Amino acid sequence: YRIRSMTTTELTAEEIHQIGLSEVARIEAEMHEILAAEGYADAPLPELLRGLAGEERFLRPDTPEAKQEIVSEFQEIVDEISGGIRAAFNIVPAAPLEVRRIPAYREATAASHYNPASLDGSRPAIFFAKLAEIPPRFEMRTLAYHEGIPGHHFQVGIQTELGDIPNFRKIPAFTAFIEGWALYAERLAWEMGYQTDPFDDLGRLKAEQFRAVRLVVDTGLHF
């Protein structure tokens, strides 16, 4: 039942498990290829990624000023792709998108997320960025494309702005659709040329790996 409700497919737990293993192998091979091209030694991937995330060029100080700078950079990333997105879309949401920091009172337990605009247009859509832990620079673009444009903002924004249909059909309810679209949006932004830096592409693959690992772990625990 959980497989059907979460994936909208008739696949078995074992079939999904095998898809996950295959995807993890593919993604990790692509990550190793990028790291090798950038001069990193052939070592276990977790070791390489931990080392990379600790390199000074990808770090920022954990200060209020740095966190405000990160919010501004996220907004710049979103605005940049917004300016060229009509090369791939002939319908875009009317609602504006703002980037804000998750409020301090809930930052410890909340992940970065998208909050849709109000149905009456009185409040903009918001990409809330979690800055309790400072993200490495090479993970920022993928996160902005996933939560913002062309990710959840396009998916949810276009759906909620549809015309003559009941309101319950304007509210997305299927995980496979919600997160599947946002994952596709990460790759679409890369295909459109918005992640030309190899480390940004590594960040994209790291996010894709995170989703593929879920297929392995969830089914492995239960099957």
Side-chain angles (χ1 to χ4, degrees):
Y1 170 77
R2 293 299 293 164
I3 288 172
R4 288 198 303 274
S5 64
M6 298 298 285
T7 72
T8 70
T9 73
E10 297 298 325
L11 295 170
T12 67
E14 185 175 15
E15 287 171 329
I16 292 174
H17 190 74
Q18 293 304 322
I19 290 171
L21 291 173
S22 175
E23 283 294 281
V24 168
R26 174 189 64 80
I27 294 163
E28 292 189 351
E30 292 183 29
M31 295 170 83
H32 273 296
E33 187 176 332
I34 292 173
L35 288 164
E38 294 301 313
Y40 289 83
D42 186 14
L45 192 59
E47 178 183 320
L48 291 171
L49 291 175
R50 279 194 298 270
L52 198 68
E55 289 187 16
E56 187 173 349
R57 57 179 166 161
F58 298 123
L59 295 177
R60 238 86 62 103
D62 191 354
T63 64
E65 294 77 17
K67 291 180 177 181
Q68 184 54 51
E69 181 182 310
I70 292 169
V71 170
S72 297
E73 286 186 23
F74 272 129
Q75 188 70 60
E76 289 172 6
I77 292 169
V78 168
D79 292 344
E80 176 194 33
I81 195 168
S82 178
I85 200 66
R86 283 190 177 273
F89 290 85
N90 62 354
I91 299 173
V92 301
L97 174 65
E98 295 181 7
V99 182
R100 299 180 190 174
R101 178 183 173 183
I102 293 176
Y105 74 90
R106 62 188 182 95
E107 193 171 48
T109 56
S112 294
H113 61 281
Y114 172 79
N115 198 63
S118 58
L119 291 177
D120 64 2
S122 61
R123 177 179 45 72
I126 303 167
F127 160 27
F128 280 108
K130 179 171 184 173
L131 300 180
E133 299 172 0
I134 305 298
R137 290 180 188 272
F138 62 84
E139 294 183 6
M140 288 182 61
R141 282 188 172 271
T142 294
L143 182 58
Y145 302 142
H146 179 103
E147 301 294 348
I149 297 172
H152 289 316
H153 182 54
F154 268 44
Q155 166 213 43
V156 178
I158 292 171
Q159 183 173 353
T160 55
E161 291 171 11
L162 291 173
D164 297 328
I165 64 171
N167 277 342
F168 80 89
R169 291 184 58 192
K170 299 179 182 181
I171 309 300
F174 301 101
T175 296
F177 168 57
I178 298 168
E179 295 305 328
W181 172 265
L183 179 58
Y184 165 67
E186 297 171 11
R187 182 179 181 88
L188 177 61
W190 172 70
E191 290 177 347
M192 293 181 69
Y194 286 97
Q195 287 170 302
T196 55
D197 186 295
F199 292 104
D200 288 335
D201 193 24
L202 190 71
R204 177 187 68 83
L205 289 166
K206 187 171 180 285
E208 188 176 9
Q209 179 203 38
F210 177 61
R211 278 43 167 269
V213 165
R214 285 174 169 170
L215 303 181
V216 178
V217 174
D218 288 1
T219 53
L221 284 172
H222 296 286
F223 176 73

